[in-house]
Structure formats: structure tokens, C-alpha cells
Amino acid sequence: MKTYCTLSTLFARELERLSRQEYDDLYRKKTHELLKTLWTSRRHSCEFVNDEYYPVPLFAVEFSRIAGGGQIMATCDEDGYLTLIDASKNSSFGKYESGCCSADFRRNTSENEVSLGINKRRCTSGERMLSFRVHENAIFSLCWLGLEDQCIATASGDQKVKIFDVNKHLILNTLVGHSGSVKAIKEKNLTDGKILGSASRDGSVMIWDTRCHGTHNQETGSYVLRPVLILNDIHRREIDSPSKRQHVAKRLRYSLYPKKKSMKPNVPHGVTALAFAPFNETFFLYTSGAVDGAVKLWDLRRAGAVSLPAKPISKIYPGCQEGLTDRPHGISSLDVAADGSTLCVASTDSNIYLYKTGLLDRGSFTRLCGHRTSSFYIKACFSPEGNFVLSGSADSYAYIWDVKQLGWNSTKNNFPLLRLPAHNNEVTDVAWCMTDTTKLATVGDDCLLKLWQTRNSDEEPETVQDGQRVQAEFKLESLQQENFWTSNVQRTVNLEFPTSRTENTNTLLSYFHKPISRMCTASH
């Protein structure tokens, strides 16, 4: 089901006589005009630190779908903490003290000491951020579960996946089975959070069913579950891979000394991302690899058969099919549009390829460029209605493309329409609010989380003077130029101090009742 914001509802009421295509075009243009006013401030920026006040990198961020009106952000960091933040319109991340913004919400309650292993701390009300230590290692991915976002699944470097209840603040299930760091976790559609899929560096993809009976752990109170389906080593480099060269047979050489065995271990071909097909095709699963650089489509019904080996239905190599590269590059993320028609593939060759889900073998119909991807931590995603694509970048910016405005030529350079001067280092993960398309979130290697939102042109200036303000950069005449987005573009910054603002009584604690320990200081 497609999610529309209030703007879409108003357009649907006023433009009932327009055709569906005319309505989509008009709604997209109006949304694009609003996105040009995206801005953020230091009051809407958070820097995460540990107990010793050292910065902690963030790896993932995601908005809720239902909880808190879709305004609850969940983010995870290198210390294994899961943090929930209220991103409502009138909220901020902290209070100003001596001209800077700070927020200390490292709190805990005695009910969770045994289950989560955190020291006891006093609880206070009025905070808009809560944090919980779910893993003992870094959390690389998370996703909201259930029809009402009652749980969150976290994938960690401790080779485990945990199901966390956001209302009771307890770990319900621990999913064990991987032998490497778990890099991605996704919920299967139309299952109310009961069936999950996880991808790991050990080269396997596992399917989990939380309805199965598990082993009860008396120490933590959670249940330990095993996978119901395993796809092992599905992204190994194959003979028919475009990067596989035909080696010429070498002449045999003889030596008096025996050949030493290689000390290099058997490195697995890790799986970087996965995505379930929406709606009635939930048995289809997309996976991507780091070594083979392939995207494969699987039918879980055929993979579950004992007599049949796991074989993909379709297999593509982004960039090679279009003739843009002589070898496949690793894939950093996958995302499927809400209507299920388009697949977004972010490659480490600094390109984003868009495919029609029913025509994967025909290659990509659009290629998005203009950003830089240098690691597997940089992610890309669709907007809720599927008209825009948001991506992080290694050049400390976040980029937005208007997909509907671009052509159908896969080899054409389609540059972004907007650039967000988001961070001081690599922008890793991005998120788009499902209930409000004018609200975004970005996290980066500078240990910052930033909330981006739009403002109306008739809004009073003093209502948005929240300290140092940065706005989105937009240059329409540069879209067709190869040297788009040079590194010398100056950022628009307002250094005036913010005005006083009354506190909102509708806090995050009214939704999440039991806060747990974690610290976050807003940047300045």
C-alpha cells in the first residue's frame, strides 16, 4: 500500500478530475519545489559519544512506519546501542546551554538490568531520545517489525540478530546461526514481522520464523531461534562471471623443495544486502554480493526443496550489461520501490542502477551518478512514493535524484537535482520518512545524525533560526554538465543564535515508557 503525506491527500481532493499520470506529475513537481527548501541546524544534529566522551560512528538509520505517526527515528552505532529519537516537527534534540546544544539521556531502570546488562541509573522525563544496549558489538543494520512497529530487528557484528520490543524494552528473541558479521536484516512483507531474512559476511542468507519454538535463555529471558531456511555461499565468483578471465595453461615447473601450503584462509564471499519483493510476490528475494558484484533473484519456494539445489531465477551484473565497466563491482545496498516496480542497486563504482523488477535481464533503464561510493557502508533508498532516490556519498554530501524526470537511457549521465551538505565525513546511511516526504535523516562517519526538513516560504524567519543552519543546494542549469557539484561550492550558513522556544509536552517518553542508558550530545 502506497503511503502519502498530507500534501498528497489535499491534491487528491482538489484534483479529482485529473488523470492518474497528470496527478503524479503535478504532485512530483510540487514535492520537488518543497525539497529545494530542505534545511537542518545544529539543534537538529546529534553527535554520539561513549562513556569516555569519544565519538562513536553510526551505521544505520530508519524511520518508523506507524509508531509516533511515523516520526520515530531508530539508529544504531558501533557500541551496540539502539537509539530512538522523536523527530516530530516541533521537537529538537536538546536544550541550549551557554549558546551550545547538549542532551544527556543516559538513563536506565532496574527492570532491565538483568535482561540488558546495564548499570542502574535514575530515570527522568521530558527527554526525546532513548537508548538501549542490545548487542556487545557493532550494529550494522536494523528494521522495524510488525504492522504497528512493535519491534525492531538488529543485525550485529557478534553474528547474531535480536528482536527488541520497543514498548516493553525487552529482547524477545535471539537469532543464532551465522558464522560471520550480519550485514543486513529485512522483514518479509505481509507477515506482521514474523518472518525475517538476514545476510552475512559468511556468504549465507538465512530465513527466520519467530513463531517457531526456540530455546529459552534463563539469563536474558529471551528465546534462541535457529533458521528455517539457509542459502549457503550464494555469491561465490562463478566461471561465467564477466570478471573471470580465461587463463592460459602454464608450463609445469619442478622443484626439489615441497610446495608450502598457503596460510591464507578460505575467505567467504559475503552477501551485502537483501530485499523482499512486496505484495503478493513475497516469496521472491533479491540478494547482492561483495565479491562477484552480482544481484540475484531467488524463489524461496524452490530454494526450500531438498531435492533441488539453490539456483537463482535471474542474475545480473550492474555496469557490465550496460558496457560501462569491464568487471563487476561490489553492491552496497538494494531497495525496492513501494509499488514493487523498480529495483534500486547501489554499486561501488559510484553509480546507482534502476531496474524494472519484471525485466531484470534487459539491464538497467536509468543510471544515477554524481556521487562517490568508496565503501559498502554507503546506502541508497527510494522516497515513499518512488519518485525520488536518496543516497549517501563519500564526499560528505547526500544526494537526491528525480527519477521520473530522467530518461530511459541506461548509459546517460543522470546527475542529482539536490545536494545536501550533510556531514564532515562520509555519509553512510540515509532514511526517508514514510508519512512525510519532506523529512529526511542522514548519518555519517563523523558520528553525527542530522534531521532534514522543509519550511514554507511564508514562514516567519525567527521560527527557523535554530543556530547554525544549512540548506540544500540546487542548480538546475548544471544538470547536463559533467563537472556537476564541484568541491568548491560554498555552503550557506546562518550563524545567528536561535530564539527561545517553549518545550513540547508530547515527548518520546509518553510513547516509550522505560528509558535505558545511552549518551548523545548534539553537535555545535
Side-chain angles (χ1 to χ4, degrees):
M1 181 178 180
K2 298 180 67 176
T3 305
Y4 292 95
C5 63
T6 306
L7 178 63
S8 176
T9 306
L10 295 176
F11 267 85
R13 185 178 63 183
E14 299 295 335
L15 306 175
E16 294 179 352
R17 298 183 179 180
L18 293 179
S19 64
R20 185 63 183 177
Q21 183 64 31
E22 293 175 340
Y23 164 74
D24 288 341
D25 292 341
L26 186 59
Y27 171 69
R28 178 186 57 81
K29 293 179 181 179
K30 184 62 177 179
T31 305
H32 180 265
E33 293 298 324
L34 288 177
L35 292 179
K36 291 166 58 177
T37 64
L38 281 171
W39 67 279
T40 187
S41 67
R42 63 178 181 180
R43 195 169 186 180
H44 295 83
S45 301
C46 279
E47 180 182 12
F48 286 72
V49 297
N50 56 15
D51 296 334
E52 299 177 353
Y53 289 92
Y54 287 106
V56 178
L58 304 175
F59 293 117
V61 62
E62 187 172 345
F63 279 93
S64 61
R65 297 163 295 186
I66 302 297
Q71 302 293 317
I72 306 298
M73 291 188 299
T75 184
C76 54
D77 57 33
E78 192 178 34
D79 285 349
Y81 281 89
L82 172 66
T83 304
L84 304 175
I85 303 176
D86 184 5
S88 59
K89 182 177 180 181
N90 295 326
S91 67
S92 61
F93 294 166
K95 303 176 182 179
Y96 275 90
E97 298 176 0
S98 302
C100 62
C101 180
S102 63
D104 182 0
F105 62 103
R106 181 176 287 277
R107 304 289 184 263
N108 191 19
T109 53
S110 58
E111 292 82 359
N112 300 299
E113 291 181 16
V114 178
S115 60
L116 298 177
I118 310 297
N119 297 328
K120 180 179 178 180
R121 295 180 185 271
R122 61 189 179 92
C123 176
T124 62
S125 60
E127 300 292 347
R128 300 185 183 278
M129 293 176 282
L130 301 175
S131 193
F132 316 86
R133 188 163 195 179
V134 183
H135 294 269
E136 297 296 330
N137 206 324
I139 302 177
F140 296 111
S141 178
L142 61 89
C143 68
W144 292 83
L145 303 179
L147 299 178
E148 298 181 356
D149 296 334
Q150 60 268 23
C151 296
I152 294 179
T154 56
S156 174
D158 59 5
Q159 306 174 5
K160 298 177 183 178
V161 175
K162 294 188 178 182
I163 310 299
F164 183 78
D165 193 318
V166 296
N167 294 316
K168 300 179 180 179
H169 296 176
L170 294 174
I171 299 176
L172 301 180
N173 298 310
T174 302
L175 314 183
V176 179
H178 285 291
S179 59
S181 299
V182 187
K183 304 298 293 184
I185 181 72
K186 290 291 184 179
E187 173 192 10
K188 187 178 179 182
N189 300 278
L190 305 179
T191 61
D192 194 17
K194 300 298 188 298
I195 300 180
L196 309 175
S198 60
S200 173
R201 292 187 63 185
D202 60 6
S204 65
V205 171
M206 296 186 179
I207 307 299
W208 314 83
D209 192 344
T210 58
R211 297 168 295 185
C212 297
H213 180 71
T215 304
H216 185 264
N217 190 339
Q218 297 181 355
E219 296 181 358
T220 60
S222 62
Y223 287 87
V224 179
L225 303 180
R226 295 289 178 176
V228 297
L229 177 62
I230 303 177
L231 302 177
N232 285 317
D233 203 16
I234 59 177
H235 279 279
R236 61 182 179 275
R237 183 166 297 184
E238 301 176 356
I239 298 178
D240 58 349
S241 174
S243 61
K244 193 71 174 179
R245 299 179 180 179
Q246 299 294 334
H247 295 280
V248 181
K250 296 182 179 180
R251 180 173 58 87
L252 296 177
R253 296 182 179 181
Y254 299 93
S255 175
L256 298 177
Y257 302 97
K259 184 178 180 180
K260 296 182 180 180
K261 295 183 179 181
S262 176
M263 300 298 295
K264 185 178 181 180
N266 185 16
V267 180
H269 304 105
V271 183
T272 57
L274 76 163
F276 286 97
F279 303 116
N280 58 343
E281 298 177 347
T282 54
F283 45 80
F284 286 153
L285 176 67
Y286 299 93
T287 61
S288 62
V291 176
D292 62 348
V295 176
K296 298 182 179 181
L297 176 61
W298 304 86
D299 190 343
L300 298 180
R301 300 169 299 179
R302 304 172 70 181
V306 180
S307 58
L308 297 176
K311 293 184 179 180
I313 301 177
S314 180
K315 178 173 56 178
I316 57 176
Y317 295 92
C320 296
Q321 293 176 295
E322 295 80 9
L324 301 175
T325 178
D326 57 349
R327 67 173 184 87
H329 292 74
I331 308 300
S332 61
S333 70
L334 297 175
D335 191 28
V336 182
D339 58 358
S341 63
T342 311
L343 174 66
C344 175
V345 180
S347 175
T348 55
D349 63 351
S350 298
N351 288 305
I352 298 176
Y353 301 92
L354 301 183
Y355 294 84
K356 290 298 181 182
T357 53
L359 304 171
L360 293 180
D361 296 335
R362 297 188 180 182
S364 61
F365 68 91
T366 299
R367 180 174 66 95
L368 310 179
C369 60
H371 67 300
R372 290 196 294 121
T373 305
S374 59
S375 68
F376 291 101
Y377 293 97
I378 299 177
K379 305 295 191 302
C381 67
F382 279 107
S383 61
E385 73 284 348
N387 293 331
F388 302 91
V389 171
L390 173 65
S391 175
S393 178
D395 56 2
S396 73
Y397 292 93
Y399 295 90
I400 299 178
W401 291 265
D402 190 347
V403 178
K404 300 300 182 180
Q405 187 179 2
L406 303 177
W408 286 65
N409 187 359
S410 60
T411 60
K412 183 180 178 181
N413 294 329
N414 295 309
F415 293 97
L417 297 181
L418 292 175
R419 181 174 72 171
L420 307 180
H423 299 266
N424 299 322
N425 208 328
E426 180 179 274
V427 181
T428 53
D429 197 14
V430 293
W432 213 305
C433 184
M434 300 298 295
T435 59
D436 188 356
T437 56
T438 61
K439 187 170 292 186
L440 317 173
T442 58
V443 295
D445 282 349
D446 55 358
C447 309
L448 293 177
L449 180 146
K450 291 193 175 185
L451 175 65
W452 295 80
Q453 48 193 337
T454 61
R455 65 181 180 91
N456 298 326
S457 59
D458 57 349
E459 188 176 4
E460 296 181 3
E462 56 268 20
T463 60
V464 294
Q465 299 297 331
D466 292 329
Q468 186 177 2
R469 187 184 65 189
V470 181
Q471 293 184 343
E473 299 172 357
F474 173 78
K475 295 181 66 176
L476 183 61
E477 64 274 6
S478 302
L479 294 181
Q480 306 298 331
Q481 298 179 5
E482 291 290 339
N483 56 351
F484 185 65
W485 299 136
T486 60
S487 59
N488 297 327
V489 178
Q490 297 181 357
R491 304 184 182 183
T492 304
V493 178
N494 192 338
L495 299 178
E496 297 182 5
F497 286 99
T499 58
S500 60
R501 179 181 293 183
T502 58
E503 294 297 329
N504 187 4
T505 58
N506 185 17
T507 63
L508 184 64
L509 290 185
S510 62
Y511 182 80
F512 303 104
H513 304 290
K514 300 178 181 179
I516 296 188
S517 160
R518 186 58 178 139
M519 178 180 296
C520 174
T521 59
S523 65
H524 46 278

